[in-house]
């Protein structure tokens, strides 16, 4: 069996701002609450290989792994995968951005499978990813909408 999640949010901000902020890997620790640090390991064209390190979990364990991420602005998509899979047999992530009347819809799709000796199974991880994605998407929306409000021009004054 494999795990699959899809979570989305609409952000009241222009697509370019949402794209730029969510693809600025070096600033992910300020955008996501779960990441303590990001270390860029290699850049090849649009593809970036990087190490993500999380804040310690409730047991004091610090999780870290290497991922690849390749944004394609023309199609408004990003493909990512874990290179160091840890407890996952594989983890593939697809981000999709879409302009909508209310701003920008961002959709995260994750396909994965846990290794047989992983401490949790696919169902547990699916629930965990769904729960945490909602938290992270809300934080991202708040931060991007705050940034967007600072970019809006002041209303024109009536004569």
């Amino acid at each position: 069996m494999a795990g699959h999640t899809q979570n989305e949010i609409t952000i009241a901000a222009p697509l370019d701002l949402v794209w730029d902020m969510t693809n600025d890997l070096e600033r992910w620790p300020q955008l996501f609450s779960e990441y303590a640090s990001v270390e860029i390991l290699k850049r090849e064209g649009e593809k970036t290989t990087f190490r993500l390190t999380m804040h310690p979990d409730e047991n004091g364990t610090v999780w870290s792994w290497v991922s690849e991420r390749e944004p394609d602005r023309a199609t408004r998509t990003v493909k990512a995968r874990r290179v160091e899979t840890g407890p996952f047999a594989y983890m593939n992530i697809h981000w999709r951005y879409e302009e909508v009347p209310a701003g920008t819809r961002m959709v995260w799709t994750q396909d994965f499978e846990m290794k047989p000796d992983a401490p949790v199974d696919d169902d547990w991880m699916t629930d965990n990813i769904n729960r945490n994605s909602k938290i992270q998407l809300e934080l991202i929306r708040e931060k991007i909408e705050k940034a967007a409000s600072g970019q809006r021009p002041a209303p024109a004054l009536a004569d």
Side-chain angles (χ1 to χ4, degrees):
M1 191 176 128
H4 172 83
T5 66
Q6 184 168 309
N7 291 278
E8 68 178 68
I9 198 159
T10 298
I11 302 170
L15 187 135
D16 285 340
L17 180 63
V18 175
W19 178 272
D20 290 345
M21 288 184 70
T22 59
N23 285 290
D24 184 354
L25 294 175
E26 290 88 346
R27 295 193 45 81
W28 273 15
Q30 289 80 46
L31 191 61
F32 292 83
S33 65
E34 60 190 342
Y35 301 138
S37 67
V38 176
E39 177 188 0
I40 304 300
L41 303 175
K42 180 171 53 172
R43 292 188 193 270
E44 297 176 59
E46 292 298 315
K47 186 189 296 183
T48 303
T49 303
F50 58 101
R51 175 171 295 283
L52 272 176
T53 302
M54 297 182 77
H55 294 288
D57 67 16
E58 62 278 355
N59 300 315
T61 303
V62 175
W63 298 94
S64 181
W65 63 91
V66 173
S67 288
E68 287 179 348
R69 182 174 175 82
E70 189 165 10
D72 182 346
R73 196 173 194 125
T75 62
R76 300 175 177 170
T77 61
V78 178
K79 292 180 185 173
R81 70 179 185 94
R82 281 193 182 202
V83 176
E84 290 179 3
T85 58
F88 294 92
Y90 64 88
M91 166 63 87
N92 297 315
I93 306 168
H94 184 259
W95 295 40
R96 188 177 84 241
Y97 301 77
E98 176 186 352
E99 286 182 288
V100 295
T104 303
R105 177 180 298 126
M106 185 171 63
V107 182
W108 291 349
T109 304
Q110 293 174 278
D111 290 297
F112 61 91
E113 187 173 342
M114 304 308 295
K115 290 179 180 173
D117 62 346
V120 299
D121 64 14
D122 294 338
D123 289 338
W124 186 95
M125 187 56 71
T126 298
D127 290 342
N128 185 61
I129 289 171
N130 280 328
R131 189 172 39 257
N132 190 53
S133 291
K134 288 172 182 39
I135 293 166
Q136 297 306 313
L137 285 166
E138 282 296 332
L139 287 171
I140 290 167
R141 175 170 53 191
E142 288 173 18
K143 291 173 183 177
I144 294 175
E145 287 180 352
K146 184 176 180 181
S149 69
Q151 292 184 349
R152 292 193 185 120
L157 298 174
D159 289 345

